[in-house]
Amino acid sequence: MPGLLIMNQNGANGAAGAKSPQDRNGDTILSPGHSKPVINGDRVISPPERGGAFSINGGKQIVAGQVDIPASLLDLPPEIIHITNSDAYSQDVYCKVSTLLSRVVQECFLGLQELIPKMADLPVAQQSGMTNGLGNHAVNGLGDGNTTRNNVQKKIMMMEFAEYHRTRFVKLLVLSAWSRRAEQVQRLIDVSGWLRGEMGSYYAVVDAMGNLKREMEQATLKSPDIETALKVLATGKASWMPEMGYIPPEPLSPQEILKLWRDGNVRCSLRLNLHEELPRHLKQWKSGSGRVTFTVPGEFELDVTTSTEDTSGPWWFIDLRFLFSPAPEIPDSYFRSALETQANVVLSASGLTGCFDYLHNLVLTHKIAILKAQASQLTAANWAGSIKVEPVRRSLVVQYWTELLGKKSWIEIGIVSGKPKNGKISWKGPTPPQLSVRWFRQGVEVKESGLSFDWDSLSMENMLRKVIAHHISYMLETIRDRVVVAARGIPTLKTEVSTSDTEPSDCLLEVNLGTSATSTTVLVDPVTGRFAMQPCTAFSAAREKEASKSLDSIAFMSNTIPHVLCASLQDSVDKQAQLLGWTKPIINVRTDAIREAVKQDVVRHTLYRARGWTQNWVLAGVFNLSGMSWWVIETESSNTGVKIITAERIHSDSSTTTKGLALRHVMTTIQRKAVAEITLSATTQSLVRREVPHSVVSPPQSRTASQELVDISSLYFSADAFLASDQKDAEPWAHNLMRVNYESFDLEKSTVCFSVNGEMAKGFEHEIATIVRASHSSDIKFLGQNKSNFRVLVSASFGTSLEKPLSARLREVTHLLNFISILRARKFQVDRITPNRITFRYGNSGANSATVAFPPNQPIKLTFPRSNPHNRIRAHLTAGLNAQRHDPAKFRAAVNLFTYHLLATLPFASALVSLHNPEPEALAEEPTGTGKETAEQRATQPAIHAHAPDTFRLSYRNPRVSFDANLRVQHDKHVWHIQDSAATNPDPRAKAAPRSEQLTEALKKLWREDGAGGESWMRWSGRVRLRVGGMWSLFLRRRWW
Amino acid sequence: MAPPSLDDVDAQLKAIVQNLYSLTVTAYQHEGAPSVNAMREEIMSLLRNLNDLKSTAPHINVEIPPEVISYVEHARNPDIYTREMMEQLQRSNQLLKGKSEAFAQLRDILAKEIMTGIPELKGDVKRVVESTGGTVAN
């Protein structure tokens, strides 16, 4: 304010002083050459050049002039600013005369300089000697007058030049004359500039005052008329209030009201029925209470009325009620009056249709606003952080699952115009604009979503839930489809998607591998959109976490589900395996290798080694979408790792059993089956090598599952082919078909026990009967009605073929049977038979007994009682039996020979025994070896050497003579040839001791005595046994001779 | 030597004008050698005068508004410019005078009103009015 006033003061004084340049020729005010920047309200005053007065703003005065200045003027305003070129103007305010002069002079000179060569260039008829310094001018002069064209041209040029520049210099003269006043005019200009500045100041002051007034509005105190207000509020009127004297209208009687309403009803009905062309959406109306009420379902009820039947008369707005929830009440307020005014304007301008459009748009916009408000509330409540609300002009965009990685998903609520795309309007009339929702699922708009929303009762949360339910359903179905495709129609995989149209929590995907135990439920959290799996295990929890981090969680989940299922399966199997004592071998086998070996998809796998298993065998549990399968895998360690040689599947129906005892039972079965399979497989291979027909028969399928689990495959093979080498020509003792069944597994010894079942051939029942009577062994059993079925137990070490033990076992049986049949054929009396031992009697009335033992894997052992004469040749007999043991045919021959020997050599052997005992009757009880040898005995008893079962040598010491005894068959009779060994086999040592005459004579006599003999031998048949004693008597007799 | 004045410039200008005029005349009434010589003399004189003027010109320290040059250029009398300037200045002056008087009245009225409305400000208002050349009627 002070600054403003000072300016005004300056202005006023300045205006007064503005005359002074004129009046006083500027003596007191102007100071040429002085310039100062002007700062509003802060002018520095400098002393005038020629004295006078100057003042300092504020009132102190210095008087120094010759003019008597009134006191008020002593307080002088600052000097007027002189305007010079140096002021901040974009162009020069003044031109310097000096510059002007120089320029014109220069121009004139340049023109002259240009003119002269130009003139010289114009040729003129030359005359010799007439050249002149100035050239052409002179020549022209002497020419033929001034009439040549060039001459004229030159003259014109010269004249134009001179004239042009003369004009310019004349103008310069004028300027020069004027310039004498230039200084005064400059002052005028300064004053003029100052005046303009002052004018600007005035305008600025007016502006400032206006602004000030406007700003002061805030500072004014309100002064309500409280007294009047109190009076009016208390008593209803104030005595000092002017009374207008209006006459209140007469109240309407009910009859009149009724009449008015009826008239109104009639008018409305008439107009609407007869005159108005209502659009489709306004067809629902009813009249009553003097008004007509239009109902637009889901939007509003509109009451209008009319005062006239005339179609041109306007409709009047009465009331509006919203028909959706939550809807605002329309109170009697500013909004209502504005609405009413606007509605009436629209009604009068475009009638009911226009009013409908207006209100319809109002409702649509308001619905969006309500949804937006609800969405904002949701962001502050339990949906916080997972939805994002963005109003876009009239639409509303709500993005959900904001925390999820990958593409965004959102819904867009907006208004679609009812205009059809092809521009055609249906016969029903144009459709009004409507609310619509566009759903973008992971950045892609879903056109065929089938979403429908309840626009009558608005709930953003319900809308979101609905959309999310659809989204989750889509996700789960996609996952289901992918898993099913990946499973390639495996029947055990059961998938079920439960969807809900409204509740996202009800959408779930249930996947299992046939039983509920492996069931995994996949859910999606409606708020965050993250996957969740039930039951929750450490494995699934980790997968959930990964899924939330992956960009394409659907793909991730569809890949993960098989793993989760298989992991739960594997988990339960692992637990039971631990209980069963299965160990996990530390073997590095890649899943690929396993997949290649088992030739099916492998999602997960576990390797086990049960107790008693050898290093190169493992049991593999393979888990995939078809459940679990069990494989016996033979491995081989190599430099690069573990190599799978074979993989054999253990068939079981256990793929879906997962719980506790049942699973353990299954796994026990699996273990048994695996052991059996391993052995059977090895056996099969060896049977193939030997070209023995065989077949492995799985248990019949007709049984129940639980029974089937226990059953183990049986191996059938052709016994004939298997025993072909053993039996050769012999009659087979068993039916061709034999069955091998698994019996047990010895964990400690790591041996597998199998039973071989078969049926005896006809004709062997007798022997069997004998065996059965005698047998107490568990190794071989005979069953059935006729005891014709037998069962032999065979064991082999783990992982090896049964072939060798089996064939050994069967050979023993063969041997046994052969032995028995031969004994029987010889009419030996069999005392006792076990599969390993036969005791029989032979000789006269079974006087002699023998025992043959067949210990497994050991030589046959033959034992005689001490009194048996065959003790002497026992070693030879045993060797004979053992020699051909592995060739059944030869063995049979050997057994035959053995029995033959027993029979054939019995008399001779007995004779030899009696030879050792001169009085057999007396010596029978005495053991041979322990008898006291008398000198006589030594003389008469020869040393007996058994060279073979049927070849003996008897050597006498005194006289020194030896005899060879050989068993021969002559004319179906067994005949012993006894001859002088010196004759047949001359002994060099015997020759050294020449025989005495008596001996030779005696021998001759001996040989002769027997008529059938020759010079040096005699025949001795068993038939003439009694004579043997004579011979020995002879010997004895002759000894002394 | 005193610095050349506008009078010197005038003389030089007049000489140049004379030279140019002579040249025109000589060219028009060309009569052979005498004319040639005369012309040569004239041209030499012109050059001399131009040279003189050129050397004089920087000493003329006068500035004139470009509008004046424009007036002369269009062959109008520069005094007209002077006169118009004067008249316009008078008009502005009167306008400004009226305005200042009107503001002075406004100031007085405002001061009176303020003093009536807000008596507390009386002293201040008085001081302001007096320092701006007005008087306060008590």
Side-chain angles (χ1 to χ4, degrees), chain B residues 56-84:
Chain B
T56 313
H59 300 290
I60 304 302
N61 191 18
V62 177
E63 290 176 334
I64 54 173
E67 290 89 347
V68 177
I69 300 173
S70 169
Y71 264 64
V72 176
E73 188 69 29
H74 294 99
R76 293 178 70 187
N77 190 349
D79 288 340
I80 295 171
Y81 171 80
T82 314
R83 201 176 67 229
E84 278 177 356

Side-chain angles (χ1 to χ4, degrees), chain A residues 1-2 5-6 8-9 11-19 22 75 82 84-85 92-102 104-106 108-109 112 116 119 132-142 146 154-155 158-159 161-163 165-183 185-189 191-196 198-199 202-203 205-206 209, chain B residues 5-14 16-33 35-37 39-41 43 46-47 49-51 53-54 56-69 72-82 85-86 88-93 95-101 103-104 106-107 110 114 125 127-129 131-133:
Chain A
M1 200 66 176
L5 290 175
I6 288 166
N8 287 345
Q9 173 214 19
N13 286 346
K19 290 174 197 164
Q22 278 177 304
D75 190 8
H82 177 56
T84 62
N85 278 345
D92 288 349
V93 182
Y94 297 117
C95 296
K96 281 189 167 178
V97 174
S98 57
T99 314
L100 186 65
L101 288 171
S102 316
V104 176
V105 165
Q106 201 171 359
C108 179
F109 180 75
L112 187 63
I116 290 169
M119 288 170 70
N132 203 322
L134 280 175
N136 292 337
H137 289 287
V139 172
N140 287 346
L142 291 176
N146 298 321
K154 282 184 183 180
K155 283 177 189 168
M158 173 56 81
M159 282 159 67
F161 163 78
E163 186 58 29
H165 285 282
R166 195 178 69 96
T167 316
R168 290 179 70 98
F169 280 105
V170 168
K171 281 176 180 172
L172 274 185
L173 262 177
V174 173
L175 279 176
S176 165
W178 189 86
S179 294
R180 286 173 176 79
R181 265 189 284 173
E183 201 173 330
V185 173
Q186 275 182 8
R187 284 183 193 167
L188 282 182
I189 288 171
V191 170
S192 167
W194 180 82
L195 283 175
R196 272 203 297 276
E198 289 298 300
M199 287 298 277
Y202 280 119
Y203 290 127
V205 164
V206 171
M209 284 170 73
Chain B
S5 67
L6 279 173
D7 294 335
D8 301 333
V9 174
D10 277 0
Q12 283 165 354
L13 282 172
K14 278 174 186 164
I16 291 168
V17 169
Q18 185 57 46
N19 285 338
L20 288 168
Y21 180 73
S22 306
L23 267 178
T24 314
V25 173
T26 317
Y28 186 71
Q29 299 172 342
H30 199 275
E31 289 172 357
S35 291
V36 170
N37 288 332
M39 200 175 271
R40 188 175 58 196
E41 288 296 324
I43 286 173
L46 174 64
L47 288 173
N49 285 333
L50 284 174
N51 198 32
L53 184 54
K54 191 171 185 300
T56 313
H59 300 290
I60 304 302
N61 191 18
V62 177
E63 290 176 334
I64 54 173
E67 290 89 347
V68 177
I69 300 173
V72 176
E73 188 69 29
H74 294 99
R76 293 178 70 187
N77 190 349
D79 288 340
I80 295 171
Y81 171 80
T82 314
M85 185 67 144
M86 290 295 297
Q88 191 252 327
L89 208 53
Q90 278 176 346
R91 259 200 322 276
S92 294
N93 194 32
L95 187 66
L96 203 57
K97 183 171 185 295
K99 258 201 192 306
S100 73
E101 284 167 359
F103 268 80
L106 173 67
R107 174 197 62 200
L110 192 61
I114 289 173
V125 172
R127 191 171 56 78
V128 167
V129 171
S131 65
T132 51

Side-chain angles (χ1 to χ4, degrees), chain A residues 571-636:
Chain A
D571 208 34
S572 48
V573 169
D574 274 349
K575 274 182 202 156
Q576 298 303 327
Q578 215 167 2
L579 289 175
L580 285 173
W582 295 5
T583 53
K584 287 192 173 188
I586 305 168
I587 294 180
N588 183 21
V589 180
R590 285 182 299 118
T591 310
D592 290 347
I594 298 220
R595 188 173 295 141
E596 200 179 327
V598 304
K599 293 184 179 58
Q600 59 172 305
D601 189 31
V602 178
V603 178
R604 300 182 77 83
H605 71 271
T606 315
L607 298 179
Y608 299 108
R609 187 173 289 144
R611 285 172 60 205
W613 287 40
T614 49
Q615 288 293 317
N616 52 336
W617 290 94
V618 285
L619 184 61
V622 168
F623 306 93
N624 57 20
L625 286 182
S626 52
M628 60 180 162
S629 56
W630 293 92
W631 297 75
V632 168
I633 289 178
E634 190 179 1
T635 57
E636 183 185 51

